[in-house]
């Protein structure tokens, strides 16, 4: 049977936020065969896609231009391994609440603390849902998925799922690669509750004078949830909007407690880190009940952003940004959303628009280098691209430290490198604060990787000096690749004779240090909304486009808007240069923010 696609599908009622949004294309699947057929369709191959479960942890910011795949795989069964272990296996499209209620009826202990959570079974490992002292990852035995990359059904063990706090492989490298089909949970036959560490559950035990049963715990959990969280049938929300931030214990004691001695904390598995309840921070930042349009900080539980009626996605996002800003100002901590914000918007921040020497050039006193216009102050070339909640840095310039502080960068998901010249990679060591105990992903060509292994040899030694930055180098070729669900297309270009790479993300392309775009790459740059391209100066250069050469390329590619970058002082002052450029072509400047899709 050929798959059925619905066009212009309303998604509002498929999410718990209940905020209107539409998908250009929508298709559901009830079994693996249907999914396989969908994945072979033209509609899938030509569009970006998003897999929807129960819609309880997602916010569509505007309409989704691609294909929404809705998992409706049903079926629950159990299989007794031995006297103490029963595997409960459920289809990804089963309701989480119904499945947990079934385990309780079957006398299977383990999931009772996770009662009443909206959403689907398929979403539970993605988010590693957790509540009242239990995280689902600790009870997951295996996750059966479809691997889009290798076109096969694979079974990942709990270890391979790499569960962390509200985190898993499915939110990282596996995003856009694995579609969860079925989940197997390792439970044990017992009517007595397993985990009573959470304060109110301990009290329940004291009140009853015995260990409560799994159904008593489930009832208690549901009643605590009902008292704090909005009723999804009446008030739209996605549960906790932010994750509880994890900070170094040193920072908590020395900085946070100095600001407010009452800030609570939870211990984590790592003795160097503590988790701070974001709800407490938001309430004590004075934001209880604060609203933007129809979006409100839910007064009963400030960690929830609620749709109190008619909220628009933009209002929720504006509210979230406000909450983040105030909490950062007040407590020095950055909150990160737990909710998956699905956004086709691409925000590009030009971190540096200057050539390798920067502007002003050391020792130069020309009018441009002496200009007081901040737009004539050009740091070395680099850009920050933010889309779908993913933050990507293109090139790590020697000015990266200054650029990141200026742009307020507190975290990055990965860096993309265009080539190995110092002005594009000189800031690698300054990524150290953003490595934060993890291995920082970098995408680059093999020859650039080889070169960086020599230049940054101290980072790649077997026994490195403690505290050096650590990088996970991903070698790329001509093929498109994914970073946390963002599709990136490499463009092969020539910097003089040196083959280097530019990047296209959606309808945005970033090409720096180009002299020539090979004929066979031109088609990859069709239908662009925004192009950022280098234009060094008017005078010829063996490895860089001049302004006139860049304008010739723009005539061929016909992007809707173009911003020129990698400029030296010879282009003249920004205010004069911009007047000389044709319509829809602009000189970039440091700090410029461009929005596209
Ligand atoms: N608090 C406040 N003001 C508030 C909210 C909370 O002062 O407005 C204080 C509470 O008094 C308490 C502390 O902050 O001392 C923690 O509050 P609570 O236990 O209610 O929530 P949490 O630990 O921040 C997490 C999960 C919830 C889960 C609960 C219970 C996250 C992001 N959230 O919240 O999960 O139900 O623990 O286990 O980890 C969800 O993810 O959607 C969700 C609801």
């Amino acid at each position: 049977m050929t798959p059925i696609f619905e066009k212009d599908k309303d998604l509002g009622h498929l999410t718990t936020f209940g905020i209107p949004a539409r998908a250009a294309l929508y298709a559901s699947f009830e079994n693996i065969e249907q999914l396989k057929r969908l994945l072979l369709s033209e509609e899938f191959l030509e569009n970006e896609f998003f897999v929807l479960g129960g819609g309880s942890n997602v916010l569509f910011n505007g309409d989704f231009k691609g294909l929404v795949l809705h998992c409706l795989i049903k079926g629950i069964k159990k299989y007794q391994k031995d006297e103490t272990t029963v595997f409960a296996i459920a289809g990804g499209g089963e309701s989480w609440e119904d499945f947990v209620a079934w385990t309780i009826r079957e006398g299977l202990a383990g999931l009772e603390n996770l009662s009443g959570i909206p959403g689907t079974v398929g979403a539970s490992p993605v988010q590693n849902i957790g509540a009242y002292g239990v995280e689902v990852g600790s009870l997951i035995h295996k996750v059966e998925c479809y691997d889009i990359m290798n076109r096969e059904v694979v079974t990942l063990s709990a270890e391979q799922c790499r569960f962390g706090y509200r985190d898993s492989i499915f939110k990282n490298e596996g995003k856009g690669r694995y579609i969860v089909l079925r989940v197997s949970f390792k439970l044990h036959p017992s009517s007595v509750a397993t985990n009573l560490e959470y304060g109110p559950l301990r009290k329940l035990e004291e009140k009853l004078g015995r260990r409560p049963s799994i159904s008593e715990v489930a009832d208690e959990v549901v009643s605590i949830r009902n008292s704090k969280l909005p009723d999804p049938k009446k008030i739209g929300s996605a549960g906790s909007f932010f994750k509880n931030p994890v900070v170094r214990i040193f920072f908590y004691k020395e900085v946070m407690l100095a600001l407010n001695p009452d800030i609570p904390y939870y211990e984590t598995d790592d003795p160097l880190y503590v988790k701070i309840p974001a709800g407490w921070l938001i309430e004590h930042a004075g934001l209880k009940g604060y609203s933007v349009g129809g979006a409100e900080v839910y007064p009963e539980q400030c960690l929830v952003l609620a749709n109190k009626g008619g909220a628009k996605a933009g209002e929720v996002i504006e509210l979230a940004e406000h909450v983040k800003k105030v909490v950062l100002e007040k407590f020095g901590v950055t909150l990160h959303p737990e909710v998956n914000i699905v956004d086709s918007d691409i925000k590009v921040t030009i971190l540096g628009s200057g050539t390798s020497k920067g502007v002003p050039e050391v020792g130069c006193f020309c009018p441009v280098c002496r200009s007081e216009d901040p737009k004539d102050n050009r740091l070395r070339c680099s850009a920050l691209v933010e889309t779908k909640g993913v933050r990507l840095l293109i090139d790590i310039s020697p000015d990266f430290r200054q650029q990141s502080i200026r742009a307020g960068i507190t975290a990055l998901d990965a860096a993309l490198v265009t080539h190995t010249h110092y002005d594009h990679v000189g800031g690698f060591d300054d990524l150290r604060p953003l490595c934060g105990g993890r291995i920082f992903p970098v995408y680059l060509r093999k020859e650039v990787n080889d070169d960086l292994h020599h230049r940054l040899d101290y980072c790649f030694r077997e026994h490195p000096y403690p505290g050096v930055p650590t990088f996970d180098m991903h070698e790329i070729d001509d093929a498109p690749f994914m970073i946390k669900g963002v599709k990136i297309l490499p463009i092969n270009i020539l910097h003089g004779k040196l083959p280097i790479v530019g990047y296209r993300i959606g309808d945005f392309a970033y090409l720096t240090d180009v002299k020539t775009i090979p004929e066979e790459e031109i088609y990859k740059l069709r239908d662009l909304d925004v192009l950022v391209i280098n234009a060094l100066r008017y005078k010829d250069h063996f490895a860089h486009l001049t302004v006139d050469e860049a304008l010739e390329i723009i005539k061929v590619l016909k992007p809707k808007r173009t911003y020129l970058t990698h400029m030296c002082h010879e282009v003249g002052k920004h205010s004069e240069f911009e007047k000389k450029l044709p319509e829809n072509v602009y000189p970039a400047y440091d700090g410029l923010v461009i929005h596209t899709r």
Side-chain angles (χ1 to χ4, degrees), residues 68-82:
V68 168
L69 295 174
H70 197 176
C71 174
L72 298 179
I73 297 178
K74 292 281 162 61
I76 301 179
K77 58 182 179 191
K78 64 175 182 176
Y79 143 71
Q80 176 122 21
K81 183 174 171 256
D82 52 41

Side-chain angles (χ1 to χ4, degrees), residues 359-508:
V359 184
E361 215 177 79
V362 173
C364 178
F365 297 96
C366 76
V368 180
C369 289
R370 279 184 296 128
S371 163
E372 287 184 2
D373 182 352
K375 290 181 179 165
D376 289 326
N377 240 305
R378 302 185 184 279
L379 296 177
R380 266 68 68 85
C381 226
S382 166
L384 172 70
V385 182
E386 295 168 90
T387 182
K388 300 190 173 80
V390 178
R391 290 144 301 183
L392 303 171
L393 177 70
I394 307 187
D395 285 340
I396 307 101
S397 98
D399 299 320
F400 173 71
R401 180 178 171 279
Q402 199 180 342
Q403 291 168 333
S404 57
I405 291 167
R406 197 164 64 176
I409 295 174
T410 54
L412 287 169
D413 292 285
L416 310 173
V417 182
T418 60
H419 65 298
T420 188
H421 285 171
Y422 179 77
D423 53 326
H424 298 262
V425 297
F428 257 88
D429 195 74
D430 288 331
L431 284 168
R432 216 148 29 115
L434 302 182
C435 289
R438 75 184 175 128
I439 304 179
F440 188 90
V442 180
Y443 292 76
L444 69 191
R445 296 245 286 234
K446 182 180 184 315
E447 61 275 18
V448 181
N449 191 17
D450 291 346
D451 196 25
L452 288 174
H453 269 74
H454 291 298
R455 290 159 74 167
L456 302 166
D457 73 305
Y458 65 99
C459 300
F460 298 104
R461 285 182 199 155
E462 209 178 320
H463 301 291
Y465 180 77
V468 300
T470 41
F471 302 111
D472 184 11
M473 304 302 230
H474 297 258
E475 288 186 0
I476 58 167
D477 51 26
D478 293 358
F481 57 96
M482 304 287 284
I483 302 179
K484 294 189 172 183
V486 177
K487 191 173 178 183
I488 296 156
L489 178 64
I491 317 282
N492 298 315
I493 48 180
L494 289 168
H495 181 27
K497 287 191 178 140
L498 180 71
I500 65 167
V501 62
Y503 296 101
R504 177 173 183 154
I505 302 170
D507 290 342
F508 162 72

Side-chain angles (χ1 to χ4, degrees), residues 131-132 165-166 228 240 242 244 266 277 280 283 301-302 338:
Y132 309 107
Y165 169 56
R166 297 294 182 279
K228 290 206 271 188
S240 303
F242 296 103
N244 287 332
Y266 306 115
W280 190 97
E283 180 173 339
Q301 165 59 288
C302 294
E338 182 192 297

Side-chain angles (χ1 to χ4, degrees), residues 26 28 53 60 101 103 134 173 189 241 250 355 440 519 544 576 593:
Y26 166 96
S28 59
F60 285 97
T103 63
V134 174
E173 309 92 278
F241 192 91
F250 171 80
T355 187
F440 188 90
E519 196 72 29
H544 282 278
E576 288 158 22
V593 174

